[in-house]
Amino acid sequence: MLTVYGRASSMNVQAVMWGIAELGLTAERVDAGFGFGGTDTPEYRAMNPNGLVPVLRDEHVTMFESAAILRYLAARFGRFPFWPEDPVARAPVDMWAEWGKVTLQANFLSAIFHPVLRGGAPEPKGRAALDSHLGILEAQLAAGPWVLGEAFTLADIEVGLPLYRYFTLDLERRDWPRVASYYRRLCDRPTFVEHVMIDYHHLAAMMR
């Protein structure tokens, strides 16, 4: 049994829950963090001393950090091509997943999503960086429907994760036809709809 601690509106929790669903697994999700609280208790801090979400527990491990959780689950339950066993074949999947997490998501959240959701404007440098990142993704998607070509992989979870918020935020967007088509394909996946397409506007009141 997998247990995930964290609220459904957390993007990091969404990444883990989406990955679990793509692997054909099920998990119990326990609301924690932000408006739900529960992350400052001694019991929770024993699982994650940072007091953040998500946390994963199973019969073998208790662990935090969403990207590490996804790699653990993919290594344990994944199959080619989602997470190849061969390190050479796995390298581009891992590389693009890392890019999606630490470059695309981090820039979008800090410079675009949080300022706009609070009622402000995107940070100009952050907006320029986001356009650069989306231009990179636009070029990468020339190879096929998914980030690594014909097959959906773990990289698509980290790269695709922020696109629901990007395309539904009150934001002027440049025309990226391949990125837009990629987003539409994600929207056709029931796992993406269930775990990622979750309304986030209530978060604005908590950020002020």
Side-chain angles (χ1 to χ4, degrees):
M1 169 64 75
L2 301 174
T3 303
V4 176
Y5 296 82
R7 56 188 170 84
S9 58
S10 159
M11 275 182 53
N12 289 328
V13 174
Q14 290 171 5
V16 171
M17 294 302 295
W18 183 18
I20 287 170
E22 291 288 352
L23 289 166
L25 306 171
T26 59
E28 177 189 9
R29 187 184 58 76
V30 179
D31 280 322
F34 230 176
F36 294 98
T39 57
D40 288 328
T41 65
E43 294 78 13
Y44 192 89
R45 290 295 177 123
M47 296 190 296
N48 183 351
N50 303 287
L52 301 173
V53 297
V55 166
L56 171 79
R57 295 186 69 179
D58 69 8
E59 69 273 28
H60 300 292
V61 301
T62 298
M63 60 186 301
F64 52 90
E65 295 297 342
S66 61
I69 292 169
L70 282 172
R71 289 193 298 270
Y72 164 71
L73 293 172
R76 204 177 153 200
F77 300 106
R79 298 291 183 270
F80 181 86
F82 182 80
W83 186 251
E85 185 175 353
D86 174 59
V88 175
R90 187 173 64 242
V93 178
D94 201 8
M95 176 183 70
W96 280 101
E98 187 81 356
W99 179 85
K101 173 68 174 176
V102 305
T103 301
L104 182 63
Q105 289 182 38
N107 165 236
F108 171 71
L109 286 173
S110 64
I112 310 297
F113 180 74
H114 291 156
V116 172
L117 198 62
R118 292 188 186 105
E123 298 175 6
K125 288 184 179 179
R127 181 56 200 255
L130 178 65
D131 285 339
S132 175
H133 300 152
L134 291 175
I136 291 169
L137 179 57
E138 179 80 7
Q140 179 65 17
L141 290 168
W146 305 110
V147 172
L148 271 301
E150 294 299 320
F152 184 94
T153 70
L154 186 141
D156 291 289
I157 290 179
E158 297 288 23
V159 173
L161 183 64
L163 294 184
Y164 167 66
R165 298 189 183 196
Y166 171 73
F167 279 103
T168 56
L169 198 63
D170 185 11
L171 179 72
E172 184 177 346
R173 286 174 284 275
R174 287 182 58 178
D175 184 26
W176 303 109
R178 292 192 192 109
V179 175
S181 295
Y182 175 61
Y183 173 65
R184 288 193 292 271
R185 285 189 290 276
L186 291 172
C187 292
D188 288 336
R189 299 183 79 87
T191 52
F192 183 80
V193 174
E194 179 179 359
H195 296 292
V196 181
M197 298 180 72
I198 295 171
D199 184 71
Y200 51 79
H201 292 90
H202 67 283
L203 299 176
M206 300 180 186
M207 293 179 178
R208 296 192 179 106

